[in-house]
Amino acid sequence: MIYGEVGRLADESLRLGLRQAENAVLLGVAAHCAWLELWLDAHRAASATLSAGRDQRARTRRLIRRGVSPAEAARNLRLV
């Protein structure tokens, strides 16, 4: 009877170890996904900022080519 109990406990400890390993892997994947999401958010924000600046400079250059003074063109005015 005691040998059956030892075998059952050994089997249970093996399953527990596998479950803990699975949980550790899942935690690692979740941490990686969270880090990637934070990095992508920062990348999107930086990209939007650079794009807005580039668009503003292009708009200013177009206004200057239309004859608007550079100081007025740089003030973000809208021509109608």
Side-chain angles (χ1 to χ4, degrees), residues 3-78:
Y3 294 112
E5 184 72 13
V6 169
R8 185 187 66 76
L9 290 175
D11 188 47
E12 187 177 327
S13 69
L14 180 63
R15 275 194 238 118
L16 178 61
L18 290 174
R19 216 174 311 134
Q20 287 177 334
E22 180 182 337
N23 285 340
V25 168
L26 290 174
L27 179 63
V29 168
H32 181 70
C33 287
W35 173 84
L36 182 62
E37 185 65 29
L38 286 173
W39 186 83
L40 284 175
D41 286 345
H43 178 31
R44 287 182 191 124
S47 178
T49 301
L50 290 174
S51 178
R54 186 176 57 241
D55 292 346
Q56 176 61 33
R57 286 188 301 276
R59 189 177 163 283
T60 300
R61 283 192 299 271
R62 280 193 309 273
L63 288 173
I64 291 171
R65 279 195 307 266
R66 286 181 164 176
V68 178
S69 73
E72 290 175 354
R75 280 194 285 164
N76 199 15
L77 298 176
R78 301 271 181 216

